[in-house]
């Protein structure tokens, strides 16, 4: 027998052996488990899913039937009509009613399963526009404008981003000067790069806008000079409410056709010395009082900036939640298709072929993403609850800003990874708009850059977290049985345990913090007295900064997952948590490169990944079914895709 033939025979024998490492792990370390769909559903979304179910029922109306072969103008009009329908039928509580975040959250979450354009409209109008009035406006402004905003009679937008400034909100160039003689603010666009850009709903929908501008007030000691107070928000009319004509001093243009998300009418806005009454400043954290004097509850512009943009952080929470729900939708479609689509495996033509979901290759493509989606769901749920709490201390605002920024980045990246994997898993069917995944890819792609570029958001995490993790030396891995890495021996039970996995993830945080901290200190020492901002220093060490930020958020996600697991008495989350964490240990390039565990342990981790994937496959109906995505929100390939493709079917929509 030739040498290549001997090698092939050896490989075949290894693969066919009943004693292969994965089979061994299945028989000794990862026993069978039977997960219950209803139990998982309650863990995910609670027992009271009233508003989620209400929304799913509304989405059965003919108005919400998916339409793909339409123009941009038709898509915008359809999006407006759909949102108006929901507003009229109770999307948001009336201003006079008690606040009910569970209602708004349940409805907004359900919309993200359905369509990103409609979900984005809900987030922009209700979260950013109305939310800014609720969070930052006076009681008079709330009483006057929120009832009209709630009913969508006075639709609005959130004008922060400019042509010249996106993620760097501090650098926006739109100006607001306080005119003491006229008793009003004067808002102006001083240059081309100061035009508001990519403003969702501005091109056609919005009548009002939350406009962010750099505020200048007369210097208290010399009125001929201006004193800069940082960025502030103003409620500014854009159009006449009756005629919808654009008001004098305001110019609006459409951003044009986009590669996706064309149901949102993104626009550009210019202001030519537009007068805004004093009371239209959202002055919770700073503004001109009745005596014509600027006052603020914060002493510094930096502190005021953090408080004012807490609503933007809340928008990032919405993106994190929406990303996970859309991931659930895509995974439901792809996995259900994989359970009915057969390919290969028959010895003769006409014999029953193998379901593609039964192939290990297909399982490894989708099940780790399924586990990550579960983990990220609980992280998003925790930060969403934090969003609805009153945050008065700067430390609370900082923590919320840091975690929401990190989750926005990792969750939206996870969504794009999931959409790409599920698109490929469905083959050519994944490209068809009516099967949803391809269309979702185009519509969701902007999420990684709007409301903060993901890479920049991770710099925010690194900057906000470095002082929290600053060891002088690397802490010992508490659950490791040796201080040194060489010669490690771990039982499968240890590798599968939450304690060991959390310890390793936390160790990764401290290890990267130690390296980044040393790099920052070395750079500062080399400056020899000259100054350089921490942002600039972190950029010099961008690779370390990104690694550290990811480590912080990954540990936070796992910790939240473990907390859910410990609180759950049914043990339903253990298997999914094991796969989620072990997949990270196996596939995370930074963890592998740092060699926290030796090669033998790393190989065993991979075996255990295979074993947990096998057990997930045995329970995949319950795990996917618990997502609760209704059939009318899924593509036809998630159901009877053969019948849907009959000659007289409705696939050509």
């Amino acid at each position: 027998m030739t040498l290549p033939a001997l090698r092939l025979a050896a490989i075949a024998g290894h693969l066919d052996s009943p004693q292969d490492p994965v089979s061994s792990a299945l028989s000794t370390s990862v026993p069978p488990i039977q997960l219950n769909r209803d139990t998982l559903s309650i863990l995910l979304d609670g027992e009271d899913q009233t508003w989620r179910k209400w929304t799913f029922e509304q989405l059965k109306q003919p108005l919400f039937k998916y339409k793909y072969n339409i123009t941009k103008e038709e898509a915008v009009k359809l999006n407006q009509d759909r949102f108006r329908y929901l507003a009229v039928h109770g999307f948001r509580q009336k201003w006079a009613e008690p606040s009910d975040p569970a209602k708004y959250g349940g409805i907004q979450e359900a919309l993200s399963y359905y369509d990103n354009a409609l979900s984005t409209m809900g987030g922009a109008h209700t979260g950013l526009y109305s939310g800014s009035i609720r969070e930052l406006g006076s009681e008079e402004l709330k009483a006057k404008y929120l009832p009209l905003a709630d009913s969508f009679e006075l639709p609005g937008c959130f004008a922060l981003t400019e042509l010249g400034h996106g993620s760097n909100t501090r650098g926006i160039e739109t100006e607001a000067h306080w005119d003491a003689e006229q008793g009003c603010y004067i808002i102006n666009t001083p240059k081309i790069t100061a035009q508001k850009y990519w403003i969702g709903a501005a091109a056609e929908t919005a009548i009002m806008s939350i406009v962010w501008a750099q505020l200048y007030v007369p210097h208290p000691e010399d009125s001929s000079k201006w004193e800069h107070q940082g960025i502030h928000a103003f409620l500014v009319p854009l159009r006449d409410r009756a005629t919808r004509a654009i008001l004098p001093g305001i110019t609006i243009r459409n951003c044009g056709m986009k590669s996706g998300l064309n149901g949102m009418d993104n626009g550009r806005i210019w202001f030519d010395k537009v007068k805004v009454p004093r009371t239209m400043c959202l002055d919770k954290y700073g503004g001109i009082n009745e005596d014509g004097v600027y006052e603020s509850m914060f002493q510094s512009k930096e502190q005021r900036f953090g408080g004012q943009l807490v609503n933007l952080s809340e928008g990032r929470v919405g993106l994190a939640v929406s990303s996970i729900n859309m991931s659930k939708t895509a995974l439901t479609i792809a996995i259900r298709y994989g359970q009915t689509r057969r390919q290969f495996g028959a010895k003769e033509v006409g014999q029953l072929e193998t379901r593609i979901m039964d192939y290990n290759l297909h399982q490894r493509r989708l099940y780790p993403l399924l586990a990550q989606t579960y983990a990220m769901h609980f992280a998003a749920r925790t930060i969403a609850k934090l969003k609805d709490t009153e945050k008065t201390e700067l430390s609370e605002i900082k923590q919320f800003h840091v975690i929401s920024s990190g989750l926005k980045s990792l969750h939206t990246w996870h969504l794009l990874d999931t959409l790409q994997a599920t698109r490929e898993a469905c083959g050519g069917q994944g490209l068809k708009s009516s099967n949803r995944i391809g269309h979702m890819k185009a519509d969701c792609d902007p999420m990684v850059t709007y409301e903060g570029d993901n890479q920049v958001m991770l710099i925010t995490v690194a900057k906000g977290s470095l002082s929290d993790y600053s060891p002088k030396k690397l802490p010992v891995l508490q659950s490791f049985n040796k201080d040194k890495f060489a010669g490690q021996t771990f039982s499968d039970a240890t590798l599968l345990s939450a304690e060991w996995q959390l310890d390793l993830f936390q160790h990764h945080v401290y290890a990267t913090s130690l390296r980044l901290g040393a790099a920052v200190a070395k750079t500062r020492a080399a400056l020899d007295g000259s100054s350089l901002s921490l942002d600039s220093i972190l950029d010099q060490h961008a690779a370390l900064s990104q690694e550290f930020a990811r480590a912080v958020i990954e540990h936070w996600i796992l910790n939240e997952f473990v907390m859910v697991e410990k609180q759950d008495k049914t043990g339903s989350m253990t298997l999914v948590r094991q796969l989620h964490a072990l997949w990270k240990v196996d596939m995370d390039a930074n963890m592998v490169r740092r060699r926290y565990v030796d090669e033998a342990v790393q190989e065993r981790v991979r075996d255990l990944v295979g074993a947990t994937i096998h057990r997930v496959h045995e329970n995949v109906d319950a795990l996917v079914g618990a997502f609760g995505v209704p059939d009318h929100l899924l593509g036809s390939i998630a159901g009877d895709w053969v019948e849907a493709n009959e000659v007289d079917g409705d696939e050509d929509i």
Side-chain angles (χ1 to χ4, degrees):
M1 185 178 290
T2 64
L3 182 59
L6 286 170
R7 288 176 174 172
L8 287 173
I11 293 172
H14 175 71
L15 292 175
D16 292 337
S17 171
Q19 300 301 318
D20 72 87
V22 173
S23 296
S24 172
L26 285 169
S27 62
T28 61
S29 305
V30 189
I33 185 174
Q34 186 172 355
L35 299 178
N36 180 272
R37 169 179 172 164
D38 293 337
T39 301
L40 292 169
S41 176
I42 292 172
L43 283 170
L44 286 169
D45 299 302
E47 294 188 11
D48 185 2
Q49 300 180 22
T50 302
W51 290 108
R52 167 190 170 103
K53 293 177 180 178
W54 176 87
T55 309
F56 287 156
E57 282 300 310
Q58 302 303 313
L59 296 177
K60 290 181 179 179
Q61 299 295 325
L63 176 63
F64 296 96
K65 182 178 175 62
Y66 289 111
K67 295 183 179 180
Y68 298 107
N69 189 24
I70 58 177
T71 66
K72 177 173 70 71
E73 291 73 22
E74 290 171 327
V76 170
K77 177 66 166 55
L78 188 60
N79 206 33
Q80 292 172 342
D81 291 344
R82 287 169 172 171
F83 191 81
R84 185 174 292 107
Y85 173 94
L86 292 171
V88 170
H89 288 79
F91 174 58
R92 190 69 193 246
Q93 69 267 19
K94 302 302 180 185
W95 168 239
E97 293 176 355
S99 177
D100 187 0
K103 175 181 178 180
Y104 169 60
I107 296 175
Q108 181 65 24
E109 280 195 42
L111 292 182
S112 61
Y113 289 93
Y114 166 69
D115 177 68
N116 194 34
L118 187 58
S119 175
T120 301
M121 174 72 82
H125 174 84
T126 311
L128 294 177
Y129 162 62
S130 297
S132 294
I133 300 174
R134 289 177 190 274
E135 293 293 328
L136 303 176
S138 65
E139 293 302 316
E140 292 75 16
L141 276 184
K142 295 177 187 178
K144 181 176 181 180
Y145 289 100
L146 284 179
L148 299 172
D150 287 342
S151 64
F152 207 54
E153 294 175 66
L154 210 59
C157 61
F158 187 85
L160 176 61
T161 300
E162 297 177 354
L163 177 62
H165 289 86
S167 297
N168 181 19
T169 53
R170 285 183 176 85
I172 62 172
E173 298 172 292
T174 301
E175 297 176 349
H177 288 78
W178 172 250
D179 189 318
E181 292 184 4
Q182 300 187 72
C184 66
Y185 298 97
I186 307 296
I187 295 185
N188 193 54
T189 304
K191 57 177 71 173
I192 294 175
T193 53
Q195 64 179 279
K196 297 298 182 182
Y197 212 99
W198 293 124
I199 309 305
E204 300 176 30
T205 306
I207 292 176
M208 304 290 294
S209 179
I210 303 297
V211 178
W212 292 86
Q214 302 285 359
L215 176 60
Y216 297 88
V217 302
H219 195 282
E221 298 177 1
D222 185 354
S223 59
S224 66
K225 297 180 180 179
W226 294 102
E227 187 174 44
H228 180 228
Q229 296 293 350
I231 70 170
H232 286 62
F234 304 85
L235 182 58
V236 182
L238 298 179
R239 292 178 169 89
D240 182 273
R241 183 180 173 187
T243 66
R244 299 192 58 81
I246 297 174
L247 296 174
I250 294 174
T251 301
I252 299 177
R253 295 288 184 269
N254 200 308
C255 286
M257 192 73 176
K258 307 183 292 288
S259 60
L261 206 62
N262 282 299
M264 277 298 290
D265 52 311
N266 296 86
R268 301 180 286 156
I269 313 173
W270 290 259
F271 301 93
D272 185 9
K273 299 180 177 59
V274 175
K275 296 179 181 179
V276 178
R278 180 187 65 83
T279 56
M280 300 291 272
C281 176
L282 305 186
D283 59 0
K284 178 179 180 179
Y285 296 122
I288 300 295
N289 62 22
E290 294 180 354
D291 298 324
V293 177
Y294 181 83
E295 61 180 7
S296 172
M297 64 186 295
F298 292 120
Q299 296 299 314
S300 72
K301 288 185 285 187
E302 181 72 20
Q303 292 174 333
R304 190 159 57 242
F305 176 82
Q308 287 172 320
L309 285 182
V310 69
N311 224 53
L312 197 59
S313 295
E314 292 182 2
R316 292 174 184 139
V317 172
L319 288 176
V321 172
S322 296
S323 296
I324 294 310
N325 291 339
M326 285 181 264
S327 296
K328 295 174 188 175
T329 301
L331 285 165
T332 301
I333 294 170
I335 290 173
R336 283 177 55 171
Y337 180 60
Q339 291 175 316
T340 58
R341 170 74 167 175
R342 294 179 179 271
Q343 204 76 181
F344 304 113
K347 295 182 178 180
E348 296 181 8
V349 175
Q351 287 185 341
L352 196 63
E353 296 178 86
T354 303
R355 299 187 313 165
I356 61 174
M357 207 65 254
D358 289 335
Y359 287 104
N360 289 332
L361 185 67
H362 211 62
Q363 294 168 16
R364 285 183 63 86
R365 189 204 302 256
L366 296 178
Y367 291 167
L369 292 169
L370 179 67
Q372 290 173 54
T373 299
Y374 264 85
M376 289 179 154
H377 166 91
F378 292 112
R381 188 178 71 176
T382 298
I383 199 68
K385 289 181 179 178
L386 184 59
K387 172 180 72 70
D388 293 324
T389 61
E390 183 70 20
K391 293 171 283 294
T392 56
E393 299 295 327
L394 285 176
S395 59
E396 295 174 329
I397 295 174
K398 173 195 169 185
Q399 182 197 32
F400 179 66
H401 178 59
V402 167
I403 299 300
S404 63
S405 297
L407 291 184
K408 184 266 178 184
S409 297
L410 268 60
H411 281 52
T412 54
W413 272 328
H414 169 73
L415 170 60
L416 293 195
D417 289 344
T418 301
L419 289 172
Q420 182 62 33
T422 53
R423 207 297 292 162
E424 294 178 20
C426 295
Q429 293 291 344
L431 291 173
K432 290 194 65 170
S433 294
S434 60
N435 288 329
R436 295 215 55 206
I437 294 175
H439 187 78
M440 289 170 67
K441 276 190 64 183
D443 270 6
C444 295
D445 189 60
M447 295 173 73
V448 298
T449 51
Y450 66 53
E451 297 201 32
D453 172 88
N454 281 3
Q455 300 278 4
V456 176
M457 289 298 96
L458 289 186
I459 290 292
T460 299
V461 174
K463 181 180 178 181
S465 303
L466 190 56
S467 61
D468 298 331
Y469 303 93
S470 53
K472 294 182 180 179
K473 64 177 182 178
L474 195 60
V476 174
L477 285 159
Q478 297 300 318
S479 63
F480 280 34
N481 58 355
K482 293 180 181 293
D483 292 349
K484 297 180 180 180
F485 294 133
Q488 296 168 348
T489 55
F490 298 110
S491 67
D492 287 354
T494 297
L495 296 176
L496 289 163
S497 70
E499 292 74 20
W500 186 87
Q501 292 168 0
L502 271 175
D503 193 20
L504 181 59
F505 275 54
Q506 186 177 57
H507 184 82
H508 185 43
V509 174
Y510 280 110
T512 52
S513 170
L514 193 65
R515 292 183 177 90
L516 180 58
V520 169
K522 184 175 181 180
T523 299
R524 282 175 169 164
L527 292 174
D528 194 25
S530 59
S531 62
L532 190 65
S533 70
L534 180 57
D535 293 278
S536 298
I537 296 175
L538 291 175
D539 180 62
Q540 288 187 13
H541 306 287
L544 275 176
S545 298
Q546 296 284 304
E547 181 182 357
F548 169 59
R550 280 180 173 270
V552 168
I553 301 302
E554 291 284 11
H555 175 258
W556 197 87
I557 291 171
L558 179 59
N559 188 62
E560 292 301 315
F561 202 3
V562 170
M563 289 177 63
V564 171
E565 180 187 354
K566 288 181 177 180
Q567 293 167 4
D568 169 41
K569 304 304 182 184
T570 68
S572 299
M573 287 293 100
T574 299
L575 173 64
V576 186
R577 186 265 305 156
Q578 290 170 340
L579 175 55
H580 164 71
L582 290 176
W583 180 261
K584 293 290 182 183
V585 176
D586 185 33
M587 301 300 292
D588 188 293
N590 289 317
M591 279 194 174
V592 174
R593 185 175 68 253
R594 299 300 181 195
R595 297 186 180 182
Y596 301 132
V597 297
D598 61 25
E599 185 176 355
V601 175
Q602 197 75 43
E603 287 295 329
R604 190 54 179 168
V605 166
R606 176 159 292 186
D607 297 337
L608 292 173
V609 166
T612 52
I613 284 176
H614 184 92
R615 296 302 184 210
V616 165
H617 183 56
E618 295 173 343
N619 289 275
V620 73
D621 285 341
L623 288 164
V624 171
F627 289 158
V629 188
D631 289 347
H632 60 286
L633 303 190
L634 300 173
S636 61
I637 55 172
D640 191 336
W641 44 271
V642 175
E643 180 179 334
N645 282 277
E646 290 180 349
V647 173
D648 297 325
D650 61 353
E651 281 299 278
D652 298 325
I653 58 175

